[in-house]
Amino acid sequence: GAVVSQHPSRVICKSGTSVKIECRSLDFQATTMFWYRQFPKQSLMLMATSNEGSKATYEQGVEKDKFLINHASLTLSTLTVTSAHPEDSSFYICSASGGAGKLFFGSGTQLSVL
Amino acid sequence: AQSVTQLGSHVSVSEGALVLLRCNYSSSVPPYLFWYVQYPNQGLQLLLKYTSAATLVKGINGFEAEFKKSETSFHLTKPSAHMSDAAEYFCAVASEGGYQKVTFGTGTKLQVIP
């Protein structure tokens, strides 16, 4: 089946630095990718919808200048957490639309900001 | 608008016992419904999905779910729990028109007691 690769799986960074997370669709083209955040003991919350070649659509309450999303190709979307702070520590997960009602998830990235 | 309510954040069953995880949904249009499983430090894996075909949906690992429109429910069941079923389970809903935009429930952590 279709595979979505998310990298890195775990990252620890200092407060104030930026972190980039990559999401790749390995065997299909994904015109749309989604980014979610999951806090401990909570559900996944949609942060933004990323469309190839256009600006991402952010959900209410998500700072677009803090969470930069780039979807430069049909197989790659990146999420950059800029000037990360401890409150940004969370589990981030992407998904990619494979068409025909199919949605595939990456394995997630655990971000810890010290 | 769409939403999902999962009753019970924690469920414990004995190995070999019936697993029943409850999910109720709200959607203004015919829904697509999903159950996902998340193992520790991993991404989401699709267990099964309902997309307006048969109301009883069979998924992987012996799980199944029944769509009941009159009760707006999509409960997940498995006749006999196995230790490897211990994980967190998320029910999710997507509208037919925007099926790719998925709303997740808060999750139910399943504990299997030997």
Side-chain angles (χ1 to χ4, degrees):
Chain A
V3 177
V4 172
S5 173
Q6 187 173 339
H7 179 80
S9 60
R10 183 177 295 271
V11 59
I12 301 172
C13 69
K14 292 182 179 180
S15 183
T17 60
S18 295
V19 174
K20 180 184 284 188
I21 303 170
E22 293 187 346
C23 182
R24 294 180 184 272
S25 57
L26 297 184
D27 55 359
F28 67 100
Q29 294 183 329
T31 55
T32 305
M33 290 186 175
F34 303 87
W35 287 96
Y36 296 84
R37 180 169 55 186
Q38 183 182 26
F39 291 106
K41 301 182 180 180
Q42 295 186 29
S43 185
L44 284 80
M45 300 298 295
L46 180 66
M47 298 175 65
T49 302
S50 167
N51 293 296
E52 187 267 337
S54 64
K55 291 183 178 180
T57 302
Y58 291 81
E59 296 299 303
Q60 190 173 8
V62 178
E63 300 175 60
K64 61 180 181 181
D65 294 331
K66 177 155 190 71
F67 299 100
L68 300 179
I69 292 173
N70 184 280
H71 195 157
S73 76
L74 287 172
T75 58
L76 174 65
S77 176
T78 60
L79 169 68
T80 301
V81 183
T82 61
S83 186
H85 287 89
E87 58 266 28
D88 298 324
S89 298
S90 185
F91 187 73
Y92 294 85
I93 192 166
C94 69
S95 67
S97 170
K102 295 182 180 180
L103 196 63
F104 303 97
F105 284 83
S107 56
T109 298
Q110 183 64 53
L111 171 63
S112 299
V113 184
L114 305 178
Chain B
Q2 56 193 30
S3 65
V4 170
T5 302
Q6 289 184 243
L7 298 177
S9 58
H10 287 81
V11 170
S12 293
V13 300
S14 298
E15 190 174 17
L18 171 72
V19 176
L20 171 60
L21 304 182
R22 299 179 185 274
C23 172
N24 288 88
Y25 71 91
S26 172
S27 176
S28 58
V29 297
Y32 286 3
L33 293 161
F34 309 82
W35 274 101
Y36 286 89
V37 59
Q38 185 180 29
Y39 297 101
N41 300 317
Q42 295 187 29
L44 299 178
Q45 180 180 2
L46 180 66
L47 276 179
L48 49 82
K49 66 179 179 182
Y50 165 78
T51 56
S52 75
T55 56
L56 182 62
V57 182
K58 293 186 183 296
I60 61 172
N61 302 339
F63 284 93
E64 63 181 35
E66 186 173 7
F67 172 70
K68 292 187 177 180
K69 184 178 179 180
S70 61
E71 299 177 7
T72 60
S73 69
F74 191 58
H75 302 331
L76 181 71
T77 61
K78 182 174 180 178
S80 177
H82 192 272
M83 295 299 295
S84 61
D85 295 327
E88 188 145 22
Y89 293 80
F90 291 94
C91 182
V93 62
S95 62
E96 187 172 0
Y99 63 85
Q100 299 167 342
K101 191 168 181 177
V102 180
T103 300
F104 288 87
T106 51
T108 297
K109 183 165 284 187
L110 176 66
Q111 180 185 20
V112 181
I113 303 168

